[in-house]
Amino acid sequence: MTTRLDIVAYTVPKLTDYSTDSLTQAFEDTRRAFRDEQSAISSEADWKAFRDRWMARKSGILTQINEQLKAAPKEAKKELGQHLNELKRFIDEVTNAWREYVEVIPRRVAISGESVDISLPGVRRPIGAEHPVTKTRNEIVSVFQRLGYSVAEGPVVETDYYNFEALNFPPNHPARDTQDTLFIAGQHSKPQRERLLLRTHTSPVQIRTMEKMRPPIRIVIPGTVHRNDPPDASHSPMFHQIEGLAVDTNITFGDLKGTLDHAMKALFGSNVKTHFRPSFFPFTEPSAELYVTCFICGGSGKRGSDPCRPCKQTGWIEVLGCGMVDPNVFEFVKDNGYDPKKVSGFAFGAGIDRLALLKYGVDDLQYFFQGDVRFLRQFG
Ligand code: 2NL
């Protein structure tokens, strides 16, 4: 059968030059040919011929390109393979859309108004990709689940009591000023501790969990938090945190160090080193910032002859804050078995978004919240 495809038919060139430029050009030509042929389809017969030409197992164009991959010199195989995979994805997407248009819809139209043919295939929905923040969150959660931690969650709209007071931020204490809080309007008639706000950290859930569960406990709490920060490359009024808490008899700073050192090796690779530097948080005493050797430059502070930006040439990256739970915090949940004379605990908190930026080498936080599939599908 003669179809309009013959006019623009494409033949796979024999590759002799495996340089990056030449491979990129060859695959660009292939994609252009594919698009040209596809735009020439005007009937179901065209569609079938087109599908066979590109997809047929035996000598379709994709198969022919695959043959070339086998024949390619070893050094070029990886790059050629990447190009081929990208081409396959592209072709799959287009052909699936066409199959829907040419095969499924006409059959559905033909039966409409009569009965429903339940043997028809369903509408194919494109498969999404896991969001990089979700991916990072799940990885961290898994590491702690393997250590026996449970996952707890709690409300995003919180009271002043759970977000500040029970975490050892007394009313009017300057520590509250370090977080620019978003309050629900019109609550001045309420006592301060009952006023509602968007939680500025996930810590309130730890208090809520301690009210419900007696020690010993091991929990991690992932979730969204809000602060009144204008959006830029490293800030967003909504972002994600994960916090952890372990309370038992005789929990020491050594347990904190061992647990977090293990977690960092599980997340960033067994060769990272950890470093604890004294810090301050209202709810822990002593408090520390945890640094890991920069997983971008391997701790050297340099990328080739350029300075390493993520670690500012120090070779170390700050990943989270941590410390031993302040006895003042336990006082608020003392009646449920958390007498600071009998139990001790450690806690930590990390910004998931920041870790995801570092992990995936993304240079602007805003990409995470724009929902652009061209960005998101790169993490599929
Ligand atoms: C950071 C630091 C931290 C905690 C969070 C916590 C919670 C309770 C008691 C004690 Cl209920 N501590 N959480 C402790 C130390 C640090 O977060 O920089 N987060 C992004």
Side-chain angles (χ1 to χ4, degrees):
M1 191 182 351
T2 308
T3 72
R4 286 177 56 196
L5 291 180
D6 299 331
I7 305 163
V8 287
Y10 164 81
T11 49
V12 179
K14 188 117 200 81
L15 279 179
T16 46
D17 175 358
Y18 292 94
S19 67
T20 297
D21 280 354
S22 144
L23 288 181
T24 308
Q25 187 59 51
F27 277 89
E28 185 48 46
D29 290 348
T30 314
R31 271 197 295 276
R32 184 170 318 113
F34 180 82
R35 267 189 236 111
D36 287 348
E37 291 192 21
Q38 182 229 319
S39 63
I41 296 175
S42 61
S43 68
E44 193 169 344
D46 285 353
W47 151 250
K48 286 192 171 142
F50 169 76
R51 184 190 57 191
D52 292 347
R53 250 176 71 64
W54 286 86
M55 315 279 272
R57 286 236 187 285
K58 213 151 172 209
S59 51
I61 290 173
L62 276 180
T63 305
Q64 292 176 42
I65 298 176
N66 226 351
E67 297 294 315
Q68 295 231 13
L69 175 66
K70 285 186 207 149
K74 222 162 135 197
E75 321 78 73
K77 274 205 165 118
K78 187 167 166 213
E79 202 174 344
L80 195 51
Q82 281 166 352
H83 275 296
L84 184 57
N85 281 337
E86 202 188 312
L87 179 66
K88 278 186 185 150
R89 231 189 351 255
F90 173 71
I91 289 182
D92 255 14
E93 250 172 60
V94 176
T95 44
N96 282 335
W98 262 94
R99 186 170 292 129
E100 178 83 4
Y101 190 60
V102 177
E103 295 179 2
V104 180
I105 296 176
R107 282 162 68 194
R108 196 162 288 161
V109 168
I111 60 148
S112 65
E114 296 173 20
S115 55
V116 175
D117 180 355
I118 59 165
S119 69
L120 281 179
V123 176
R124 201 180 287 260
R125 305 276 177 211
I127 295 172
E130 210 166 49
H131 193 284
V133 171
T134 308
K135 235 171 150 149
T136 307
R137 181 201 64 197
N138 289 349
E139 272 179 36
I140 303 171
V141 165
S142 305
V143 167
F144 284 94
Q145 280 181 323
R146 284 181 297 230
L147 289 173
Y149 284 64
S150 313
V151 179
E153 286 181 301
V156 175
V157 179
E158 262 298 358
T159 60
D160 187 281
Y161 175 79
Y162 285 111
N163 196 78
F164 290 124
E165 204 178 326
L167 288 159
N168 201 30
F169 294 76
N172 305 317
H173 194 276
R176 292 181 173 220
D177 300 342
T178 61
Q179 303 178 3
D180 203 344
T181 309
L182 292 159
F183 290 89
I184 308 291
Q187 300 189 87
H188 292 285
S189 58
K190 282 187 190 169
Q192 182 166 12
R193 55 163 51 193
E194 288 170 26
R195 288 183 200 160
L196 298 172
L197 47 81
L198 296 179
R199 68 179 180 196
T200 57
H201 41 203
T202 47
S203 321
V205 188
Q206 317 211 22
I207 303 295
R208 289 178 177 278
T209 309
M210 286 192 281
E211 286 178 345
K212 278 194 282 214
M213 293 165 57
R214 300 179 68 85
I217 60 166
R218 311 272 190 278
I219 49 169
V220 280
I221 294 138
T224 52
V225 301
H226 294 77
R227 294 187 191 175
N228 186 23
D229 296 327
D232 66 22
S234 57
H235 293 83
S236 163
M238 186 283 302
F239 59 104
H240 301 82
Q241 270 197 350
I242 185 158
E243 281 191 62
L245 175 71
V247 183
D248 208 330
T249 47
N250 301 313
I251 294 252
T252 67
F253 201 89
D255 296 317
L256 164 65
K257 288 184 79 175
T259 304
L260 292 181
D261 184 74
H262 164 81
M264 294 307 118
K265 288 183 161 71
L267 287 170
F268 300 117
S270 54
N271 43 12
V272 302
K273 291 194 178 68
T274 53
H275 166 74
F276 292 79
R277 189 181 287 187
S279 183
F280 173 82
F281 300 106
F283 30 62
T284 46
E285 180 61 33
S287 305
E289 281 153 11
L290 171 57
Y291 288 75
V292 298
T293 38
C294 180
F295 39 87
I296 314 289
C297 68
S300 67
K302 288 212 168 298
R303 294 177 84 177
S305 54
D306 295 333
C308 179
R309 269 219 278 168
C311 70
K312 301 186 199 85
Q313 296 184 71
T314 62
W316 293 93
I317 288 192
E318 186 191 338
V319 281
L320 54 76
C322 57
M324 301 306 290
V325 179
D326 193 302
N328 291 344
V329 173
F330 284 139
E331 286 294 334
F332 289 94
V333 286
K334 195 173 179 171
D335 293 345
N336 200 30
Y338 294 88
D339 182 344
K341 291 198 187 68
K342 294 183 183 144
V343 296
S344 56
F346 66 73
F348 58 89
I352 304 175
D353 319 76
R354 204 179 85 85
L355 293 180
L357 287 178
L358 290 166
K359 199 165 138 74
Y360 294 104
V362 174
D363 61 13
D364 189 338
L365 177 64
Q366 297 309 314
Y367 285 124
F368 284 165
F369 305 129
Q370 286 163 347
D372 186 330
V373 290
R374 291 169 303 176
F375 171 75
L376 296 173
R377 66 156 52 115
Q378 298 177 77
F379 303 92

